């Protein structure tokens, strides 16, 4: 089980949220990533995610994404990502849960089950098949995270738990660490010093994702 956050995509050119110069592009988070922001100014929110989508299409997966895909040669890997990019998919991983949604999808702003592929801008007036405005398929602050129900049992069964590039401050995703079994090995890859989760058998690889994940994957493949 691998839990990833913005840090794994940083070396692909996508800004993280909480490092200096973070991703909110001088907007207040609640203006562009909350239901209140959406109701207040749909155009602003659509523009913000349209820009993110354009930027994503110019980025490529990095060594860390590819290395996690290679793990599948010997392990049954599930990636639970907080990222809304598709770099794990493009890196070759096949089993990915996007807890916070996907930038390359749009959905009805009324019926959350009406979800569409979307690699272009979403504009005001773009509607779902039932006539409601489309919005980005992103879980905003204050919204439920429905895929937690899928993620928790997977974490509970995991035999190895790896965390890459997340500050572990946003819940409920950050709480997944606490569902791991006591005895299993846990690894955390991050170049910055951070408060480590208080779980047993945790090893900290204090490196950027491209170095740290590559090292860890080689180690696990060699040991298996
Ligand atoms: N390699 C690995 N980790 C890195 C790298 C790198 N090259 N560069 C930075 N990091 C680390 C930072 O040290 C930090 O711990 O990545 C982490 C990024 O943390 P955040 O910016 O908080 O991103 P994340 O944890 O993914 O945020 C969680 O919050 O804003 C919401 O919904 C959004 O999914 C996001 C969630």
């Amino acid at each position: 089980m691998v839990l990833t956050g913005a840090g794994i995509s940083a070396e692909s050119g996508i800004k993280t949220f909480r490092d200096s110069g973070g991703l909110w592009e001088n907007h207040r988070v609640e203006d562009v990533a909350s239901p209140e922001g959406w109701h207040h100014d749909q155009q602003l929110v659509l523009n913000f995610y349209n820009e993110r989508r354009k930027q994503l299409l110019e980025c490529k997966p990095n060594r860390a994404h590819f290395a996690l895909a290679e793990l599948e040669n010997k392990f049954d890997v599930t990636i639970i990502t907080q990222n809304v990019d598709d770099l794990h998919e493009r890196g070759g991983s096949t089993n990915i849960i996007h807890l916070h949604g996907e930038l390359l999808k749009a959905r009805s702003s009324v019926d959350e089950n009406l979800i569409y592929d979307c690699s272009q801008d979403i504009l005001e007036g773009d509607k779902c098949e039932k006539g409601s405005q489309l919005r980005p398929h992103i879980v905003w602050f204050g919204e439920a995270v429905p895929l937690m129900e899928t993620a928790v049992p997977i974490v509970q069964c995991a035999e190895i738990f790896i965390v890459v590039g997340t500050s572990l401050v946003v819940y409920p995703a950050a709480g997944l660490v606490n569902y791991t079994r006591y005895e299993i090995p846990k690894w955390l890859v991050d170049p910055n010093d951070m408060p480590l989760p208080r779980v047993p058998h945790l090893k900290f690889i204090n490196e950027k994702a491209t170095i740290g994940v590559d090292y860890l994957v080689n180690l696990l493949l060699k040991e298996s």
Side-chain angles (χ1 to χ4, degrees), residues 149-166:
E149 274 179 36
T150 311
V152 167
I154 295 170
V155 175
Q156 286 171 325
C157 295
E159 292 171 349
I160 301 175
F161 186 77
I162 300 169
V163 180
V164 186
T166 169

Side-chain angles (χ1 to χ4, degrees), residues 1-177:
M1 225 273 7
V2 189
L3 175 65
T4 65
I8 196 167
S9 298
E11 291 163 86
S12 293
I14 300 177
K15 287 181 192 166
T16 60
F17 296 94
R18 291 172 187 81
D19 291 303
S20 61
L23 183 64
W24 303 110
E25 301 291 348
N26 300 324
H27 293 297
R28 296 188 320 151
V29 176
E30 51 275 33
D31 288 345
V32 291
S34 76
E36 293 76 19
W38 173 250
H39 290 305
H40 182 249
D41 191 345
Q42 293 190 1
Q43 190 67 62
L44 177 78
V45 175
L46 290 174
N47 286 347
F48 177 77
Y49 287 101
N50 287 342
E51 282 309 309
R52 307 277 76 72
R53 194 175 303 105
K54 275 194 203 110
Q55 187 192 48
L56 170 59
L57 295 173
E58 285 165 16
C59 294
K60 295 196 174 82
N62 65 50
R63 180 65 209 139
H65 299 101
F66 290 124
L68 290 179
E70 285 163 22
L71 257 193
E72 292 188 17
N73 293 333
K74 291 218 178 148
F75 293 88
D76 180 5
V77 183
T78 302
I79 296 187
I80 300 181
T81 187
Q82 297 164 86
N83 298 345
V84 297
D85 65 52
D86 66 338
L87 297 181
H88 283 303
E89 282 86 347
R90 284 196 261 153
S93 290
T94 59
N95 196 6
I96 305 156
I97 297 172
H98 281 275
L99 276 185
H100 293 166
E102 294 174 67
L103 206 41
L104 296 180
K105 291 191 175 160
R107 75 166 187 250
S108 159
S109 50
V110 173
D111 181 347
E112 62 187 19
N113 297 312
L114 294 176
I115 302 168
Y116 307 91
D117 289 338
C118 170
S119 51
Q120 308 204 328
D121 287 356
I122 308 175
L123 305 174
E124 271 190 307
D126 287 350
K127 305 234 165 93
C128 74
E129 67 215 60
K130 292 194 178 161
S132 302
Q133 173 66 43
L134 290 176
R135 58 164 271 183
H137 181 49
I138 304 282
V139 175
W140 288 324
F141 286 96
E143 294 189 311
V145 186
L147 286 174
M148 278 297 285
E149 274 179 36
T150 311
V152 167
I154 295 170
V155 175
Q156 286 171 325
C157 295
E159 292 171 349
I160 301 175
F161 186 77
I162 300 169
V163 180
V164 186
T166 169
S167 55
L168 291 175
V169 297
V170 173
Y171 283 78
L176 282 173
V177 178

